[in-house]
Every structure is written in structure tokens, then in C-alpha cells.
Amino acid sequence: MVPEAGRWQVRWWRDAPVARRRTVQFAATSAVAGFVIATGAVAAAGPWDGGQRKAERVRAVTAGRVGGEGHSAAGRVPAAAPPVLGALRAGRPSAREGLAAALEPLLQDPALGPDRAASVVDVASGEPLFGAGQDVAYTPASTIKLATSAAALAALGPEHRIETTVVDGGAGRIVLVGGGDPTLTARPAQGPGPRFASLSELADATARALKARGTARTALAYDASRYTGPVQHGPNENLAPVSALMVDEGRLDDSSRGPADRTAEPAADAARKFAAMLRERGVEVEGEPTEGGAAPDAARLAAVASAPLADLVERTLTNSDNDIAEALARQTALASGQPASVEGAAKAVTDRLSAMGLPMGAVRIADGSGLDRADQASAEFLARLLARAADPAAPRLRPVLTGLPVAGFTGTLRERYGRDTAGRATVRAKTGTLTGVNTLAGTALTPSGRLLAFAFLASNTPSADGAQQALDRLASAVASTLD
């Protein structure tokens, strides 16, 4: 026999609007994501958040130590997360009192340095539940990737793909044209996961097209002109020079995430690798590849496309991938009729965020990745952005939430939040780390099943490790809120 409470829950689920059921489904998924990962049952769990969570679901099976920001902590063995929690509910006044009592003492932790801000918002109602310096501008570090990702999704949609093409350059020449996909790879496919564009497959298709024309000899040029202006930040172990043509994020080792030595000329290196692949396929390439533009109406010989933008956003946020974040900003510029430059990307991202009705008074976008200390954001802006991404009326933005690392289990939070920490598995958040700057912004599922968006920003912190632990305690306190 089904208990009366159980019958009520069945009736509620059956009669609830579809949008509300999907929101609750996302909330429940957040609570059990860690359990699914720990038990190895990810493959059987079905699509997460209506199918949007494909990329992280696969990565969870094979995840190793990750982190684009150099986080460090002792490894931990994942433990079972709390059971599935109840339905998402709007805030109650008592939550304010409980949050204030829990968060105010934690915000006084000296590990956060002299400057800190906080904002907590009830996702279902939009009600602000807690604020401390919430409208003050701070350097957000990598939490600015939330803004970059949201702007790109708003501009292009989650199914958009970035193409890399080969066109006829005339006069016995072909041109490799970069579309701005930093995940284009020269490596063989390895295991399950998002299917990135393959330079090898592009070479296969190009060789076939040339041979169909009766051509077995060609010169090769490369065109990276889709992006303009300074390459910004590079060369840098955290980010390659920003280019519309590169392979494997310009990495000079076999890594796929985190800091690594990078090439100083990503476009030329990509062209040289492509030329070598063509030669392996029986096409004689004359000399070394040269830089040269492709005509707008040039005949296309071959093309490959990136994984959908939703997957790129998830990878950006889960691993704090700076290269993809910078590409997302420039893709937003292109979609908005702006030059794909530092300035054009900043304007395009800012305009997209403003159109969402977010509090922009303290916001300044200087880059896509958060490596630039000129970036500015308020805690209120970040919390409101996360709440907006959960709005059933904004389904395009959902990958901003599904890409958030799961506390204690994935991405840059994989080695944070210990076995007995309240926020383990129920907190999902984007981390931010620069010298003297530590930030955390994400969502927390409370014991009653309410989804809260939060942002904590700290500047002039004396120790990255100490500040991260203090931020994790704040997020855990949000996840422990009772009403």
C-alpha cells in the first residue's frame, strides 16, 4: 500500500506544470549526482536535466584529478551522498534569520582577508535571503566564466557548433580556415565523452576531395583571421595565445586540462600538423604552410564541427577551462556583429547580460576567462545570474547549472568537501582563484529541497588554501539551511 504522503507526492508530480517538474528534477539530480558517480551507476542513470548533462555524465566515469586553477587538497575517497530530497519550494522568512545566523560569523573568518561579499537568493521565488556587500564590485577570477557561458548560450544556443574548414584557395593551393574551436584535436579519440572535432578526420575528408578532383599535390595556407586584435594573456601555462585556429588548446604535452606549456604560434603549429597528416594520406604538400586568407566565396572541400556549445560550456565550467572560455567570448562577439577581439567580446558579453535584466552596476567584463584582474562583478550579480539560469523560461541557459562542479566529486571541487561535509554533493559551484583572490558561486540544495543560489567573493586573502576552506564552509552552511 502506498502511504498517504506517497500518494500526495504522486498526485503532485502528475498534476504539476511541466516546467516545474523539470526544475524539481534538476534539483533532485544535484543532490544525488555524487552518489551516482561514487557508485559507478552513471551510465544507467539516464539523461540529466532533460538530456543537457550528457558531457559531465560521461566524464564522471573517467574523471581524474582536474582543475584549471591549480586547486590543491588531499585526495579523498568519494562517499555516498544524501538521499534524494524533496521538491523545490519558495523561500520563507525564517530562512533569512537562519542564513544570517549561520553566515555572518563565517564571513568574519580571517582567512577571507579584509574584503569579502556574499549574496544568497532563493531560486524558485527570486527572493534575496542574505546579503553582505552584495552590490560591491570585486575581482571575480574564474567565476566570470559563468557570465561568459551565459552570454554565449544566449547568443548562439546550446546546439551551436564551431566549424573548422578547408577551402580551395586557387592557384594550386588549399586553405585551412580556423573557426575558433580550441577543442579541435590532433589526437586519436579516447574513450567516451564529448566528441571533439578531429584534425585527422578533416585530413581524411580533404585528401578524398583532392583525389576526387584528380589532385595529389597542393600548397597549404592557413587562415586564423576570424579573431582579431591582441592574443591576450599568452603565451601562458594557463592559456594559449587566443587564436581562431589551434589544436588541443596549443598544449605541448599530452594533457587535456589544467596548466601546461603552450605554443607561441598555435595557428602555424596546427597547419604543420595538418600538412603532415595530408602527406600520410598520399597528398604531397609543397613546402611549409604559409599564412594566407581565404576568399569568402571559396569552394569548401571539407569541414569538421565541434561538440555542441552546451558540452563546451560544461567543460569550461567543470574544469575551469580558460581556452574555451576565451573562445566562447569571441563566438558571442561574432554572433552579435562585434569584432572577435578583446574589446568586441567584452562588449558583446556585456550587452547579452544586460538584456537578461541582471544587476550590472558593478560588472565590468575584461576577458572571457577571469585571468584579467580588470574583470569586476558583484556577489548579487553572480547569484542572480545563477538563479536566471534555473528559470524554466530560460532553457538555453541550463548548461550554466549542469556544468557546475559537484562538491567532492567533479571538476575543480573534486578534492574539496570532505566525507562528512554538509555541502558534499548538494553544493555545485564554480571556483575562482587568483593570487589574493578567492571566489565561489553556485547552487545549494537544502534539506527541505529548496534550491538556493549563492556567491561569495574575497579579496586580499592571505592563503589560497585557507580561503577555499572558508568559502566551502559558507557554501555548506547554505546547504544546511532549515526552514
Side-chain angles (χ1 to χ4, degrees), residues 202-290:
L202 185 61
D204 286 338
T206 302
R208 288 194 299 269
L210 290 173
K211 291 175 182 177
R213 291 182 165 197
T215 301
R217 180 185 181 91
T218 185
L220 175 64
Y222 60 91
D223 184 351
S225 63
R226 199 172 195 216
Y227 291 174
T228 61
V231 297
Q232 191 186 28
H233 299 316
N236 184 312
E237 67 174 7
N238 292 301
L239 177 67
V242 180
S243 172
L245 177 61
M246 66 169 65
V247 293
D248 298 308
E249 299 184 339
R251 294 172 181 272
L252 298 177
D253 58 18
D254 294 330
S255 66
S256 61
R257 64 197 70 178
D261 289 337
R262 311 297 184 102
T263 177
E265 45 181 15
D269 281 358
R272 284 191 285 267
K273 290 178 180 178
F274 187 64
M277 290 178 177
L278 288 177
R279 293 184 179 107
E280 291 171 357
R281 288 155 178 79
V283 176
E284 184 178 349
V285 180
E286 300 172 348
E288 286 293 304
T290 57

Side-chain angles (χ1 to χ4, degrees), residues 375-418:
D375 285 313
Q376 296 284 282
S378 66
E380 180 187 20
F381 164 77
L382 292 171
R384 289 287 179 190
L385 172 59
L386 289 159
R388 177 65 173 160
D391 189 340
R396 278 190 166 204
L397 303 185
R398 203 72 72 244
V400 171
L401 297 186
T402 60
L404 293 173
V406 180
F409 291 96
T410 64
T412 55
L413 290 184
R414 181 179 176 83
E415 296 182 359
R416 290 164 60 168
Y417 292 80

Side-chain angles (χ1 to χ4, degrees), residues 43-71:
W48 297 4
D49 189 32
Q52 291 287 344
R53 194 53 182 164
K54 298 184 294 291
E56 186 184 278
R57 183 186 64 188
V58 178
R59 282 198 303 273
V61 178
T62 57
R65 175 180 168 81
V66 297
E69 299 168 342
H71 296 318

Side-chain angles (χ1 to χ4, degrees), residues 71-482:
H71 296 318
S72 63
R76 302 184 180 96
V77 178
V84 178
L85 301 181
L88 184 66
R89 296 188 289 132
R92 295 178 179 177
S94 61
R96 292 187 180 186
E97 299 172 358
L99 277 170
L103 297 181
E104 286 174 356
L106 295 175
L107 280 170
Q108 302 308 310
D109 191 326
L112 294 174
D115 305 307
R116 72 289 300 270
S119 178
V120 181
V121 175
D122 186 284
V123 168
S125 67
E127 179 186 3
L129 299 179
F130 180 82
Q134 67 270 21
D135 57 353
V136 177
Y138 279 80
T139 300
S142 278
T143 54
I144 205 67
K145 291 182 174 75
L146 297 167
T148 306
S149 297
L153 288 164
L156 295 159
E159 297 304 318
H160 177 76
R161 296 173 185 261
I162 305 170
E163 286 192 327
T164 304
T165 61
V166 176
V167 301
D168 187 346
R173 183 185 73 159
I174 60 174
V175 185
L176 174 63
V177 183
D181 176 15
T183 65
L184 177 68
T185 180
R187 302 168 184 168
Q190 296 180 351
R195 186 78 168 106
F196 298 126
S198 167
L199 192 67
S200 177
E201 291 180 4
L202 185 61
D204 286 338
T206 302
R208 288 194 299 269
L210 290 173
K211 291 175 182 177
R213 291 182 165 197
T215 301
R217 180 185 181 91
T218 185
L220 175 64
Y222 60 91
D223 184 351
S225 63
R226 199 172 195 216
Y227 291 174
T228 61
V231 297
Q232 191 186 28
H233 299 316
N236 184 312
E237 67 174 7
N238 292 301
L239 177 67
V242 180
S243 172
L245 177 61
M246 66 169 65
V247 293
D248 298 308
E249 299 184 339
R251 294 172 181 272
L252 298 177
D253 58 18
D254 294 330
S255 66
S256 61
R257 64 197 70 178
D261 289 337
R262 311 297 184 102
T263 177
E265 45 181 15
D269 281 358
R272 284 191 285 267
K273 290 178 180 178
F274 187 64
M277 290 178 177
L278 288 177
R279 293 184 179 107
E280 291 171 357
R281 288 155 178 79
V283 176
E284 184 178 349
V285 180
E286 300 172 348
E288 286 293 304
T290 57
E291 187 172 6
D297 58 351
R300 178 181 292 200
L301 300 176
V304 291
S306 72
L309 192 72
D311 290 341
L312 300 185
V313 164
E314 288 186 353
R315 184 179 176 91
T316 299
L317 299 177
T318 301
N319 296 335
S320 198
D321 193 302
N322 297 311
D323 298 275
I324 303 179
E326 293 296 346
L328 292 176
R330 283 160 179 75
Q331 295 295 316
T332 303
L334 291 168
S336 305
Q338 296 291 333
S341 62
V342 176
E343 295 79 8
K347 184 178 189 315
V349 170
T350 301
D351 288 348
R352 293 286 175 175
L353 297 170
S354 297
M356 295 179 198
L358 297 169
M360 299 293 292
V363 177
R364 182 194 172 192
I365 304 296
D367 69 355
S369 61
L371 290 173
D372 194 328
R373 290 176 179 269
D375 285 313
Q376 296 284 282
S378 66
E380 180 187 20
F381 164 77
L382 292 171
R384 289 287 179 190
L385 172 59
L386 289 159
R388 177 65 173 160
D391 189 340
R396 278 190 166 204
L397 303 185
R398 203 72 72 244
V400 171
L401 297 186
T402 60
L404 293 173
V406 180
F409 291 96
T410 64
T412 55
L413 290 184
R414 181 179 176 83
E415 296 182 359
R416 290 164 60 168
Y417 292 80
R419 184 181 300 270
D420 298 323
T421 304
R424 187 177 178 87
T426 59
V427 165
R428 303 182 67 153
K430 180 70 198 76
T431 55
T433 305
L434 294 170
T435 302
V437 174
N438 296 93
T439 60
L440 191 68
T443 63
L445 197 63
T446 71
S448 64
R450 293 170 52 214
L451 190 65
L452 306 182
F454 65 83
F456 302 114
L457 310 176
S459 292
N460 299 308
T461 55
S463 162
D465 287 343
Q468 289 168 12
Q469 292 172 24
L471 292 172
D472 292 347
R473 285 190 288 271
L474 284 163
S476 292
V478 175
S480 302
T481 300
L482 299 174

